[in-house]
Amino acid sequence: MKILIIEDNRALASSVHEYLSRENYVCEQAFNLHEAREKLLFYAYDCIILDMMLPDGSGLDLLNFIKEKHISGSILIVSAKGAMDDKIRGLEEGADDYITKPFHLPELNARLRAIHRRKDLDGSHMVTFNEISLNTNTFEVTVNNKRLDVTRKEVDLLLYFLVNRNRLLSRQAIATHLWGDYTDNLSNVDFVYQHVKNIRKKINQANGVDYIDTVYGLGYKFNTHKYETGR
């Protein structure tokens, strides 16, 4: 998942960023409402970790901003111990869950994974389409019951395709989702081509259908209709 951490306590934000990065999340940071609004307008995130107390306003202000701008992404609010009103109002305004300071980083990770399962994976850790299965707990990929030898980035890429079936995904969107917002400043993202090529090759070697179409000049699409048409 790609995560935006909105937290003004830089030491805590750094700890969360370091821990989640080790768990193979792609993490970005914002330290106030202004920075958060800019990032949310220009980039997409799977989940937002939102501190309710920020130097230039309340996290509730950002929740309203997210609703007004129809910004997608799950929201995990972080509240101070005993701040029950903040928790209730945050959930009423659209947050998916909350965690209270101080918290243990493994608990934060568990809550993020639970939100992801509920919202994006229909409550399951298995993502399956026809002969392809992906286990988000073990990061194993099987095609026709054969386990593929895949890298973690290839697993993340295939999951991104599976969750966004039949949607056109630009190379820039794929790069940003898998490697972070800094890719926006790169002159090209040709490295995406190699990762897509590798996962397609491995699926083909396991006698799977190559569902990934190249849309020249635009990006890629996981085309589920190939199975139906037999192409």
Side-chain angles (χ1 to χ4, degrees), residues 1-6 28 30 36 40 43-51 62-63 66 71-78 95-97 108 112 115:
M1 287 192 291
K2 185 180 175 190
I3 308 291
L4 178 60
I5 304 163
I6 306 171
E28 302 294 335
L40 289 169
Y43 304 106
Y45 299 93
D46 297 299
C47 192
I48 301 158
I49 300 174
L50 174 60
D51 185 16
L62 194 66
L63 285 173
I66 288 169
I71 294 170
S72 62
S74 305
I75 302 167
L76 174 63
I77 59 175
V78 178
D96 297 279
D97 199 357
L108 175 68
L112 290 173
I115 291 172

Side-chain angles (χ1 to χ4, degrees), residues 105-167:
L105 293 172
E107 180 188 0
L108 175 68
N109 184 23
R111 287 178 181 267
L112 290 173
R113 291 176 65 83
I115 291 172
H116 186 48
R117 285 196 301 271
R118 289 198 305 269
K119 296 199 70 173
D120 298 327
L121 306 180
D122 297 322
S124 174
H125 65 273
M126 294 296 300
V127 183
T128 301
F129 179 75
N130 294 334
E131 73 276 20
I132 301 174
S133 293
L134 189 156
N135 187 318
T136 62
N137 281 346
T138 62
F139 311 113
E140 293 178 352
V141 176
T142 59
V143 175
N144 292 317
N145 296 317
K146 299 176 183 177
R147 182 175 173 181
L148 303 190
D149 181 14
V150 288
T151 67
R152 180 57 195 273
K153 283 300 181 187
E154 289 166 357
V155 174
D156 292 341
L157 174 61
L158 181 58
L159 179 60
Y160 193 42
F161 277 126
L162 288 169
V163 172
N164 292 280
R165 300 171 199 170
N166 297 315
R167 290 181 58 188

Side-chain angles (χ1 to χ4, degrees), residues 6 33 37 40 48 50 52 58-71 73-77 86-96:
I6 306 171
L33 287 181
R37 289 190 184 105
L40 289 169
I48 301 158
L50 174 60
M52 295 300 283
S58 166
L60 293 171
D61 297 330
L62 194 66
L63 285 173
N64 290 328
F65 174 82
I66 288 169
K67 284 200 300 184
E68 290 170 4
K69 300 297 182 181
H70 304 289
I71 294 170
S74 305
I75 302 167
L76 174 63
I77 59 175
D86 282 347
K87 298 171 189 175
I88 293 172
R89 290 185 63 190
L91 293 171
E92 288 178 342
E93 293 296 329
D96 297 279

Side-chain angles (χ1 to χ4, degrees), residues 156-210:
D156 292 341
L157 174 61
L158 181 58
L159 179 60
Y160 193 42
F161 277 126
L162 288 169
V163 172
N164 292 280
R165 300 171 199 170
N166 297 315
R167 290 181 58 188
L168 175 62
L169 302 174
S170 70
R171 288 189 300 169
Q172 182 62 61
I174 293 170
T176 301
H177 183 83
L178 298 181
W179 285 274
D181 298 342
Y182 78 92
T183 59
D184 195 44
N185 298 320
L186 298 180
S187 58
N188 68 71
V189 287
D190 290 344
F191 53 87
V192 170
Y193 164 78
Q194 190 61 49
H195 283 79
V196 173
K197 179 182 176 181
N198 289 344
I199 194 65
R200 293 172 78 171
K201 179 180 178 180
K202 291 174 182 181
I203 291 172
N204 284 329
Q205 288 174 338
N207 297 317
V209 176
D210 181 10

